[in-house]
Amino acid sequence: TLVVLGYGGLTALSYDKTLPGLRLMGNQVGLKNQKEVNDHLKKISDANSQRIITVKIDENSVEKKVEEFKVEIDGARTTAIAMKYGKSYEIFPNLEYFKLLASPSREIRPIFLWNTDTQKILDQLPNNAKEPEDAKFVIKNDVLSVEVEKSGYKLDANAFMKSVEDCLALGCK
């Protein structure tokens, strides 16, 4: 009976709120209603927009505010995830919730919204592509030698975007 009462109490307590113990980007959002979660996300997104990320490529680096990449937390979708997380039929705590309670992190990950196309993001970075150079034959003083080939790279915009999201969601390390 205690288990049933506890489960019923938990269901009543979190009926129109997030479940207790839920964390989002290192912050406690358990037992918050939809407006409180959305307001919390707005504050985090505003603070994130002013964060500076240094991007280093070869010997060049550039510092950009997150807002220059035009990325922000999608408040509506992330709030919806938080409100539904661990609930069946959006009301009853389910097995996922109890797994979350057993987890040391108790974190849900925000959804990010990019308000630009990927090529524009890469265009902001220095040396965002470097073509490989094939090995060359060089003759000096009657000696034929081969110059070492230089490797190249092309940045993957999706991988870059995921790295920025990880930095914002989990902290840059």
Side-chain angles (χ1 to χ4, degrees):
T1 54
L2 286 177
V3 172
V4 172
L5 286 174
Y7 185 80
L10 180 62
T11 301
L13 187 65
S14 60
Y15 176 73
D16 62 347
K17 296 180 180 176
T18 57
L19 289 165
L22 192 62
R23 298 180 60 80
L24 181 64
M25 296 179 71
N27 297 285
Q28 183 66 260
V29 293
L31 294 177
K32 292 192 183 292
N33 65 32
Q34 187 170 350
K35 183 182 180 328
E36 291 171 322
V37 173
N38 203 39
D39 290 348
H40 179 73
L41 287 171
K42 176 84 171 110
K43 279 193 256 180
I44 292 173
S45 193
D46 289 347
N48 270 346
S49 72
Q50 298 307 307
R51 286 179 67 178
I52 294 175
I53 294 178
T54 302
V55 180
K56 184 175 181 185
I57 301 174
D58 289 335
E59 300 302 316
N60 299 311
S61 65
V62 64
E63 289 185 347
K64 295 280 187 181
K65 281 187 177 180
V66 170
E67 68 184 2
E68 292 179 77
F69 292 127
K70 301 197 183 312
V71 59
E72 61 187 353
I73 296 171
D74 186 334
R77 288 174 56 203
T78 303
T79 298
I81 288 169
M83 296 303 293
K84 294 175 185 176
Y85 188 85
K87 294 181 180 180
S88 296
Y89 306 108
E90 300 179 21
I91 297 172
F92 303 104
N94 63 23
L95 184 59
E96 287 302 312
Y97 172 65
F98 295 104
K99 284 181 187 176
L100 174 76
L101 284 181
S103 164
S105 68
R106 297 184 183 178
E107 288 278 332
I108 61 170
R109 190 177 172 100
I111 304 295
F112 288 94
L113 182 63
W114 291 80
N115 297 310
T116 187
D117 69 40
T118 54
Q119 189 54 49
K120 286 184 181 176
I121 293 167
L122 293 182
D123 289 344
Q124 295 182 46
L125 305 179
N127 296 339
N128 61 35
K130 184 161 82 174
E131 294 296 321
E133 295 178 19
D134 292 332
K136 299 176 185 171
F137 293 102
V138 178
I139 298 175
K140 283 187 184 176
N141 300 329
D142 295 329
V143 175
L144 177 66
S145 58
V146 177
E147 275 187 8
V148 178
E149 179 180 2
K150 295 180 183 175
S151 63
Y153 55 84
K154 182 172 179 168
L155 298 181
D156 179 342
N158 291 326
F160 175 78
M161 292 165 68
K162 176 154 180 10
S163 295
V164 169
E165 289 177 10
D166 289 346
C167 175
L168 297 176
L170 308 172
C172 302
K173 295 179 184 179

